[in-house]
Amino acid sequence: MQDFTHFNSQGRAKMVDVGEKPVTVRTAVAAGRVTVSSSTFALIKSGGVKKGDVLATAQIAAKHTPDIIPMCHPILIDSIDIRLTLNEACCCVDIVSEVSCTGHTGVEMEALTAASAAALTVYDMCKAVQKDIVISDIRLLKKTGGVHGDFTAE
C-alpha cells in the first residue's frame, strides 16, 4: 500500500496533499470515439436527431470531475476545449478534449472526464434511434507540467 498515494496508513482512501507541489501550467489532452450506424451517423450529420444538435450539446458536457471521481481535487480550470469530428469512413464521432490550468495538480482526469462526458452525451442524444452505440478508445494522449514530467502517447 505504501506505493499508492491515495491510501492512508490504515489502508483507507484519502485525498493526496498537493499543497507542497509547485504551481505550474498543466495541460492534458484526451480522446475518445463513438461509433454509430450509418443511419444514425446521417442523422447526426444532418442535424436530424430529435433531441437537438448532438455535437453542440456534447461539446459542453464537461467540468464535473471531482463530483464523479473519488479523491479527485476540485481545481480551477483555465480552459476546456472539446473538439468533435465526424469521421464518415468509420461512422463515428471522434472526440478530443484539451484542458489546462495553473495549479498544484494536473488535469489528466479532467481531460479524460470531458472526453467521456462528451461521448456519453452523444450516446444519450442518439439512444432513441440506436441502442448498440459503441463508446471506445477513451485515453490520455498528452500531458504537460508537474513533477512527473510530460507524457505523450505513442
Side-chain angles (χ1 to χ4, degrees):
M1 289 284 208
Q2 292 173 348
D3 293 338
F4 292 100
T5 58
H6 285 73
F7 293 103
N8 67 16
S9 60
Q10 297 172 318
R12 294 196 177 102
K14 71 169 188 165
M15 185 179 281
V16 174
D17 182 354
V18 297
E20 297 300 317
K21 286 184 170 184
V23 172
T24 61
V25 174
R26 297 157 184 269
T27 65
V29 180
R33 174 173 277 182
V34 182
T35 305
V36 297
S37 67
S38 58
S39 58
T40 301
F41 186 85
L43 286 172
I44 294 170
K45 186 175 179 179
S46 70
V49 175
K50 289 184 181 180
K51 281 190 168 185
D53 186 330
V54 173
L55 301 183
T57 304
Q59 193 168 20
I60 60 173
K63 202 166 184 244
H64 293 283
T65 304
D67 296 336
I68 59 173
I69 306 294
M71 307 305 152
C72 199
H73 292 85
I75 60 175
L76 294 175
I77 294 173
D78 295 334
S79 70
I80 298 176
D81 182 23
I82 300 175
R83 296 180 300 278
L84 296 106
T85 305
L86 292 173
N87 185 333
E88 202 148 4
C90 66
C91 286
C92 63
V93 179
D94 288 323
I95 301 163
V96 175
S97 65
E98 189 165 353
V99 180
S100 69
C101 81
T102 304
H104 292 282
T105 190
V107 288
E108 298 98 303
M109 294 309 301
E110 286 72 16
L112 288 161
T113 301
S116 299
L120 289 166
T121 301
V122 171
Y123 180 93
D124 183 55
M125 297 286 290
C126 299
K127 68 184 180 194
V129 295
Q130 182 184 351
K131 300 289 188 225
D132 61 344
I133 296 168
V134 176
I135 295 172
S136 64
D137 300 324
I138 302 291
R139 65 205 180 279
L140 183 67
L141 299 177
K142 181 179 179 181
K143 84 154 214 70
T144 65
V147 296
H148 297 293
D150 297 348
F151 163 81
T152 301
E154 296 179 9

